[in-house]
Amino acid sequence: MILGIGSDLANIDRIAAVLERHGDRFRKRVFTETELALAARRKLEAATLAKRWAAKEACSKALGTGLAMGISWKDMAVRNLRSGQPTMELTGWAAERLKAMTPPGHRTRVHVTLTDDHPWAQAFVIIEALPDNVSDPPIPGASA
């Protein structure tokens, strides 16, 4: 069953301008060390971070909170499987909200998709509840 859906569209040039204006202060407030390390390895840092910004916004919408209810930017972290598939790791208040949304006898999976086409970066997040008694097919590229 679908518990939440969120989407967001971010302007890459706007993120680049914020990076130029606020630099590491912005980076450290919004992104995890893992996200920043990935962006630093990429040719287009602003596009990489804009996609992750959009994913965090989309995730907060899928959680039904937006960013106004105490959720922290760093409570939502985009990670990539070995295959490159993005995933969302929730900690802190975001993880508590996810737990509160999850019906008894279910576990959740957070699906993420990212794309960019300059000047736009886009993300969709779907939060799915799966019955505990049904086994999942393995996610391609996930480590055991």
Side-chain angles (χ1 to χ4, degrees):
M1 104 182 53
I2 303 299
L3 298 179
I5 300 172
S7 70
D8 194 67
L9 185 65
N11 185 288
I12 296 168
D13 293 334
R14 178 174 165 257
I15 297 296
V18 172
L19 288 167
E20 189 170 315
R21 190 168 46 255
H22 299 287
D24 284 342
R25 195 170 109 224
F26 171 71
R27 284 179 184 89
K28 290 178 181 177
R29 183 175 65 97
V30 175
F31 303 103
T32 66
E33 291 299 320
T34 302
E35 290 170 320
L36 292 172
L38 174 69
R41 292 191 308 265
R42 298 273 170 93
K43 183 177 177 182
L44 301 172
E45 178 194 28
T48 299
L49 293 179
K51 285 185 282 191
R52 277 143 185 79
W53 170 281
K56 291 168 187 262
E57 286 275 6
C59 186
S60 72
K61 293 171 186 174
L63 289 168
T65 64
L67 287 161
M69 293 179 64
I71 198 167
S72 166
W73 288 102
K74 288 186 175 183
D75 286 347
M76 302 167 288
V78 178
R79 307 248 188 246
N80 292 88
L81 302 177
R82 284 191 318 255
S83 66
Q85 176 184 351
T87 62
M88 183 69 70
E89 179 181 302
L90 302 180
T91 58
W93 197 90
E96 290 174 25
R97 171 67 182 153
L98 181 63
K99 184 178 179 182
M101 298 171 59
T102 306
H106 288 73
R107 64 193 182 287
T108 56
R109 182 177 283 174
V110 181
H111 302 272
V112 181
T113 186
L114 307 172
T115 191
D116 67 284
D117 186 6
H118 193 272
W120 302 108
Q122 186 174 35
F124 289 95
V125 172
I126 297 172
I127 300 174
E128 177 184 24
L130 303 160
D132 283 335
N133 61 353
V134 177
S135 60
D136 292 337
I139 298 173
S143 56

